[in-house]
């Protein structure tokens, strides 16, 4: 499966992906020629060629059919090497199908799930719409969208500010049922189809964002106006469902980050093997060779960390609250992985540009694209700040680091483990302000430590 | 002077600069409507408003009139806060005027120098054209342009691949006199005007590069075809003149890098002071506050390092080969400064994007621009690799680190100095390959050490 | 006044205008960095330099201060030669100021009029928003915006689909008071400021249109949502006010069309005077020379027709319903002028491209722009179809052709007049369907006849 | 064959074609990452999907295999309805294959012809490079490219200014053998492959033109620098070969113009059938209905004229100089067809925009594209001026009108014919200057007359 995927991408996908990046942000055609509101998204035609291929290959349907996320994330890893952005629609489609399959009433499942799992080009896409204008981290304060009960469904009204895959046939959206508690506890998760039962548009795309990368993905602003929605799970457990959706995308972000770093290194290597300076191929200069080798080790570690987050998610993704300890271990590893793989991707993309010298800053040669794409990965699904603070919290409140050290016990010498453990323990006993203020270097150290140790247990 | 500059930029320049970045790469109009080759560069009209203002303010003329580079670099520092790219034309104009004033025959000086030093909008611009397709670091192998003697002038033929400020009225270009030695020793530096004596074009602009940043600056590919040139200095000392030109631009690159980092921080701060999350302004969250404070310290150090390179250059810029020890000290500091300030600028721009969260990756808000501009700074005038290896060389061959430690003696405690010195000394005694392979971490350590110590002697 | 205008445009405006056309459609920044809805329009900075200059020169204030439209339209004629698009904001600003001055309650006048008539850069702009998604010709059916009475003001809700000068500080908008009659008789005209009394946005700009020309002008879609409005005139006479506003812009469209044709001819001439083929300048080839000469005659006629519509409008612009015969004569001439000058402009722009040969289809040389601009003129303010049918109607219902022939009596030989008159009379007596079906050739003949005859009475 | 073509275009081609138009002009990548000059053209990936399909369907190979041009031009007619630009590469490929097959030495034919006639995606493309900077009409003065004999081949040096299908594997180029006569008599036609025998580039693409339409086609400027070329025919008969190539493209231009007019009408009709105004579909308004019907008649006439030029070309395309009378008849019809079909296409595209009202000037709806494409058709292969004068010349010098009237005798009443004939005859007896000066209205009248009469003999 992966082999075929790679072949296709080398021969076709790469050129299409470059076209799409160069073409810039897609348009919305709000009205058709006859004045009917349609909110049709116009992108380079071949985007569909790329996009649909991944769905057919099983980036979503395999997860639910195989009852395992491994094929899904392996496919994402393979595809992201060629186009990191395209995994965004796949991830949000997965993030729609999974809560529907896990928490949806039977009637909802039979109505919507088959559309998301089709194996041909008629497959529906999903989308996950949480963020509003007040911001994405603090959902409790940020979500102003209100849902009012209406017979067997709900009517949602509000504005979603960062809606990846705007135009999807089905979305999950965070909203607060009218009269529910303030803060995160009052949030619920709803299924929102593109069309109402009467066939008219169920939500409006106000506009698409002009992003520096993932240009194929229509990220928009969506207006919900008495939009038909269907509750998933219970009205007071929405925050758990939201965070479970986020788990899927954080892990995807980690996997894509590693693939992107690998791509940037591959491009740098192929350049360095041909470019001459001072009578030698530049790859033969000791400094560059040394950088390449140590970065390769970094890549292996980052891969191990990302894949461990996949492995653990695959264990816990069907758990429900109240969650087991294993779930909290997953959360810690997922935060470390999201944080560190993105840092590594950005740094590697920067380095790959430098290896290309002056060509690195020219649009013509495309290597600058990896830095743009990497910055998206560093920011989406929670910036470094967010991962650092959340990792801190799951250690403090759930003692997740203890489970982590058990996990690493097989690979790490016990003295190193003990030393790392005491560093963590000391940090956790700092006064609150200082604990937060200095958290980044702790989490960085812990992420690298974990990645390095895990990499020893992974095949090269 | 600087105050007025800042006022103007806040009220006018900022909006113009954004327009220009958004408008993308300028065009070349190769032929006029009547079929005459003109190689006219078409950019947004207001580019001239920005550009000429700096020349009038004295970014070039002050250097030669005041016989000091301080005003020039202070102006660059002030202007780069608002538009880092615009300092590129200023730097290359300076890099044309200085060797002309220092090495040009009297007749050349009287013919050309007054044009470069005009204080009104009729001022001529300069340009410095060294790099060819084979690459910029290894000039000895890379420069294929040949100069043939022709009465009192020379005729140059070759292709320059990265020509900043293409379209300038006057350029300095590296070329090899016909029959001269191979390698860097055979290079000479020539003055090349835009128009021949008979009024026709003296060089052709093949095309402009589509760069990710400094979009106002027309960086092109130039074809020299029996182009009239005038030798500066002697035919066998060109490499010294070339490196002296590079000194001016490396120091400029450092100053601009610091200004860019300061701008990115200012934008991040103004955002963090208004944005709310979890009931507080995000600047009041301990982690962000801590990051901001330590980055402010980093900015102070980077500024001290950059400005020390200005101070030393101002001492040595009129020296001629064979150079004094002081010149070699300058070279070491300039390499450290070019390397470290660019690293700091990139990292700070990345951080500023993250502070903006999702807005950071939108073209609409412009904060992503600083990362693009910073990557140009990291690559131009020699990437990190180049600075690291050149710093190593000037320590090995000229013992420049010893002078550096003397310079730092007043600010640094002697035990720290001694420890740093022995780290350097140990490194220098490694076998060649290993010495180069591991050089980056040494140079990084030395740059930060130097920057921190120097910052103690600078006013806050 | 006009002399100075021309000088400035030649030296500055032309280059700015080219920049703006090339930069494409402006953006809307909907939210500021802090999440506040602002609907700020981002265009190339120098657009303001052009724009404000015309206001200062008096394109609006002169009309009301001099109690004559002549200076206004002369200025428009002069400016359009350099940039036809810029007259759109001027026209809609005039179309806001005039009904306010003519029909606004004293309190409204004192509150708003001085802002529109300022002579410095703080001048407010106006806008005229009639068209909705269902179309612009059939306002009776097309306007769905509803106004509800609210104390001394009204609250308007609806979507305007073609809103030139979106972002203006003040607009006039067509709306139907709640409960008013259907069709055009139930429409009223309201003044709508950009900001509500409490300082928040009074209307929203959904997006800007990506037009083929007049790219400097932000033409958008505007959402009125309980927007504060102030009634102009009485609630049941809105359609008259709307048509009076349209009179101003139709006449402007005619004047601009003639200026554009003149510009296209000037460009063609300057090219033809230099370009050689078959041993001669191409202007010296008999065919091209003949075309140029007869087109020059066409230009004189078109100018006479356009200017006659100015002259008549200047006579009747302060008339109120029920209108005099003179007003109906104006209407007929205005329809003929709008129709014919736009046809002439399109045809001339096409011809000018052809004179340039292959260069004519290159973006680089800009001559293709005149065709794009001309097509806007042919379509806005009513296409040819609309002008033809409206001209027919004013002849049928008001016998306006009789007054026209009286007007022409001084210039046209009586037999020609009689023949033209009988052609018109015969046409008017056709059965309805046929009368409409064949109307275009009649109106074309009448327009050309009128233009040619009027041109005899105008100085060359 | 044509049925399948249409199906594919409706389902796939239309969306691809829109993507390509929106993406704008393609790029040239002059150097690969390793500094090797490659002049690779970068266009949206799916361009190849469209492009290669037409070659496979037989737009070139059928002409030579079937020894008839009918399939070729039928295919072009079918494809141009969906994308008028794509027929440009087909036409120039045909214009390369035909002279090679007709005039090439056997060795050249066996080496190159099979590549142009392949039926799969490895097919080579051709190109026809005549025009230089001094202009395209006056080839005698305009062609400065010089060919020097070199063993069995020639070396060409010069700059071609309008090179459609730059990047083609094989081109035919006009050049003057060193020492040949001045003027058109000294021209020869050469075959120029993309790569030299040693595998390096045989010509350089200086840049691509930014055209208003046919954006998929890379039209560039080509530098021939001692480029290997192979003479076609004899060195002193080049002008005949050049004109024969032009015959192929002029006829193609006519066929494409008709298809474009048909497309614009189809779009206008589908709009007018849905759009409502004043209570009716706008197509039901008498004026619009009348315009549509008479334009449909115009389309039929234009088609008949264009297809007659195909039919005649198909008769004479293998003729060699000295030409028969039939050849001169073809020339007259081809000039009338090129002239009139392009005029009709431009006028119809303008009208289709007007039918769309305000939507007509928006990039979003794409109808404005037909006017841009039509202007290319009006200018390429000789503007109206050129066709008019050439038609005049072939009547004067070859009495071609007499043959035309014979051709029309079957369809036209003899009194109408006689009247038309005497109009022509009177015009031909005017003094030279006047004859040329007033030629356009004569040729227009003759073209419309011919088209109308021919249309009577064509099936509806």
């Amino acid at each position: 499966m992966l082999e075929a995927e790679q072949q296709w991408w080398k021969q076709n996908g790469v050129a299409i992906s470059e076209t799409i990046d160069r073409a810039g942000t897609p348009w919305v055609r709000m009205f058709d020629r006859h004045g009917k509101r349609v909110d049709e998204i116009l992108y380079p035609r071949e985007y569909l060629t790329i996009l649909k291929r991944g769905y057919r290959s099983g980036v979503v349907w395999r997860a639910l059919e195989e009852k395992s996320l491994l094929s899904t994330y392996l496919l994402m890893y393979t595809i992201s090497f060629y186009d990191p952005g395209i995994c965004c629609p796949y991830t949000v489609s997965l993030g729609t199908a999974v809560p529907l399959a896990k928490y949806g009433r039977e009637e909802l499942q039979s109505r919507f799930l088959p559309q998301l799992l089709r194996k041909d080009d008629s497959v529906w896409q999903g989308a996950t719409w949480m963020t509003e204008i007040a911001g994405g981290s603090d959902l409790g304060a940020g979500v102003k969208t209100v849902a009012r009960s209406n017979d067997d469904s709900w009517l949602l009204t509000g504005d979603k500010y960062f809606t990846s895959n705007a135009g999807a046939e089905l979305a999950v959206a965070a909203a607060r049922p009218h009269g529910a508690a303030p803060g995160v506890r009052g949030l619920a998760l709803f299924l929102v189809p593109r069309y109402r039962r009467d066939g008219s548009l169920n939500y409006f795309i106000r506009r698409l964002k002009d992003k520096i990368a993932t240009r194929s993905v229509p990220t928009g602003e969506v207006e919900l106006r008495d939009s038909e929605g269907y509750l998933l799970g219970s009205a007071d457990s929405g925050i758990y469902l939201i965070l479970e959706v986020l788990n899927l995308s954080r892990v995807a972000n980690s996997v894509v980050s590693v693939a992107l770093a690998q791509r940037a290194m591959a491009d740098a290597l192929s350049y360095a093997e041909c470019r001459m300076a001072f009578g030698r191929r530049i790859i033969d200069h000791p400094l560059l060779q040394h950088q390449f080798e140590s970065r390769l080790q970094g890549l292996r570690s980052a891969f191990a960390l990302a894949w461990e987050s996949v492995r653990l998610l695959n264990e816990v993704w069907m758990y429900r609250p109240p969650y087991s300890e294993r779930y909290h271990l997953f959360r810690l590893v997922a935060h470390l992985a999201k944080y560190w793989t993105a840092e590594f991707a950005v740094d590697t993309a920067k380095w790959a540009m430098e290896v290309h010298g002056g060509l690195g800053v020219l649009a013509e040669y495309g290597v600058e694209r990896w830095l743009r794409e990497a910055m998206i990965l560093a920011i989406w699904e929670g910036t470094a700040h967010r991962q650092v603070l959340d990792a801190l919290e799951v250690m403090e409140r759930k003692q997740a680091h203890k489970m982590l050290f058990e996990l690493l016990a097989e690979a790490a010498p016990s003295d190193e483990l003990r030393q790392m453990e005491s560093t963590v323990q000391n940090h956790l006993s700092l006064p609150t302000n200082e604990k937060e203020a200095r958290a980044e270097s702790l989490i960085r150290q812990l992420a690298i430590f974990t990645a390095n140790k895990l990499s020893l247990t992974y095949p090269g």
Side-chain angles (χ1 to χ4, degrees), chain A residues 285-305:
Chain A
H285 288 251
L287 174 56
L288 190 55
Q289 195 168 31
H290 175 75
Q291 288 179 333
F292 190 80
E293 282 161 11
S294 61
R295 197 165 286 276
L296 192 59
Q297 180 48 47
L299 181 68
R300 283 202 194 96
S301 298
F303 178 84
L305 183 57

Side-chain angles (χ1 to χ4, degrees), chain A residues 248-260:
Chain A
L248 293 163
S249 57
R250 276 190 184 145
V251 168
N253 203 93
S254 305
V255 166
V256 174
S257 294
V258 176
L260 183 144

Side-chain angles (χ1 to χ4, degrees), chain A residues 220-455:
Chain A
E221 296 175 18
V222 158
E223 297 177 348
L224 302 166
R225 294 288 179 270
D226 279 338
S227 302
E228 295 171 3
Y230 304 94
L231 183 66
L232 291 177
S234 66
D236 56 359
S237 66
I239 186 60
Y240 296 107
L241 276 70
I242 292 169
L243 292 176
E244 289 184 10
V245 168
L246 216 56
N247 289 340
L248 293 163
S249 57
R250 276 190 184 145
V251 168
N253 203 93
S254 305
V255 166
V256 174
S257 294
V258 176
L260 183 144
Q262 191 173 338
R263 171 64 181 272
M265 286 177 70
D267 284 6
L269 181 62
S270 87
Y271 183 74
E273 285 178 342
C274 295
R275 183 73 175 184
M276 304 294 290
F278 301 100
R280 286 188 285 186
R281 303 184 312 164
I282 64 174
I283 189 63
D284 294 332
H285 288 251
L287 174 56
L288 190 55
Q289 195 168 31
H290 175 75
Q291 288 179 333
F292 190 80
E293 282 161 11
S294 61
R295 197 165 286 276
L296 192 59
Q297 180 48 47
L299 181 68
R300 283 202 194 96
S301 298
F303 178 84
L305 183 57
W307 201 255
E308 190 69 15
S309 78
V310 171
R311 222 179 49 75
L312 287 168
L313 177 60
N314 203 38
E315 226 177 87
V316 307
W317 67 309
M318 282 299 163
Y319 291 9
R320 294 169 180 238
Y323 297 112
S324 68
E325 293 217 321
R326 203 69 183 166
Y327 183 86
H328 301 306
L329 169 61
F330 156 74
R331 278 181 56 207
L332 176 55
V333 171
H335 290 310
L336 296 178
K338 162 67 179 78
Y339 165 67
W340 180 244
T341 57
E343 293 286 299
F344 185 73
V346 171
D347 193 64
T348 302
K350 165 181 176 285
W351 174 81
M353 286 176 70
E354 289 172 6
V355 170
H356 282 77
L359 305 189
V361 298
L362 300 183
E364 188 170 343
Y365 293 98
V367 69
E368 52 82 41
R369 179 180 171 190
W370 308 130
L371 182 58
R372 291 186 280 114
E373 301 278 3
M375 284 308 304
I376 299 249
L377 294 167
I379 286 179
W380 281 9
E381 319 306 341
T383 61
H385 302 90
R386 196 69 258 133
Q387 306 306 324
V388 163
L389 293 174
D390 285 358
L392 196 66
E393 193 203 28
V394 79
M395 292 197 292
E396 262 195 300
R397 293 174 47 174
K398 306 290 178 181
Q399 303 296 308
H401 51 299
K402 300 203 169 145
M403 292 172 277
L404 176 63
F405 292 126
E406 280 168 35
L407 182 79
L408 297 178
E410 126 190 35
S414 56
D415 53 337
E416 289 187 28
L417 260 184
R418 237 173 294 124
Q419 200 181 334
M420 186 73 239
E421 193 160 3
S422 94
T423 303
V424 170
Q425 216 60 61
N426 290 341
H427 193 102
L428 292 179
S429 60
L430 290 171
T432 305
N433 261 18
E434 204 181 333
K435 188 162 43 187
E436 280 187 39
R438 304 184 177 282
E440 189 180 4
S441 68
L442 176 77
I443 297 301
R444 172 179 291 249
Q445 194 185 343
L446 182 59
I448 296 174
F449 179 85
T450 304
N452 285 343
K453 295 315 169 202
L454 286 170
S455 78

Side-chain angles (χ1 to χ4, degrees), chain A residues 109-264:
Chain A
Q109 293 203 17
S110 63
R111 183 168 156 208
F112 292 117
L113 203 50
Q115 331 286 354
L116 293 168
L117 303 180
R118 285 187 198 153
K119 296 176 179 175
D120 60 29
D121 284 2
S122 70
V123 65
W124 279 23
Q125 293 195 77
T128 62
W129 299 343
M130 314 298 176
T131 307
E132 301 186 6
I133 187 73
S137 301
D138 181 4
L139 283 175
V143 173
K144 310 282 190 200
T145 296
V146 168
R148 283 166 200 277
S149 177
N150 177 45
D151 297 331
D152 71 327
S153 72
W154 297 71
L155 296 180
L156 278 68
T157 295
D159 289 4
K160 294 290 176 182
Y161 185 68
F162 265 109
T163 56
S164 285
N165 224 17
E169 285 85 358
L170 197 64
V172 291
R176 192 179 306 279
H178 181 67
V184 292
R185 299 290 155 191
L187 296 180
L189 191 67
F190 295 90
L191 210 58
V192 179
R194 177 156 167 75
Y195 295 102
R196 309 172 76 85
R197 279 183 177 150
D198 66 7
S200 63
L201 284 178
N202 193 32
Y203 64 82
F204 303 101
I205 303 173
R206 184 157 55 204
R207 58 171 180 160
L208 298 183
K209 305 274 188 195
D210 189 3
K211 293 164 298 171
I212 59 167
T214 63
R215 283 188 179 146
S216 55
V217 185
T219 302
E221 296 175 18
V222 158
E223 297 177 348
L224 302 166
R225 294 288 179 270
D226 279 338
S227 302
E228 295 171 3
Y230 304 94
L231 183 66
L232 291 177
S234 66
D236 56 359
S237 66
I239 186 60
Y240 296 107
L241 276 70
I242 292 169
L243 292 176
E244 289 184 10
V245 168
L246 216 56
N247 289 340
L248 293 163
S249 57
R250 276 190 184 145
V251 168
N253 203 93
S254 305
V255 166
V256 174
S257 294
V258 176
L260 183 144
Q262 191 173 338
R263 171 64 181 272

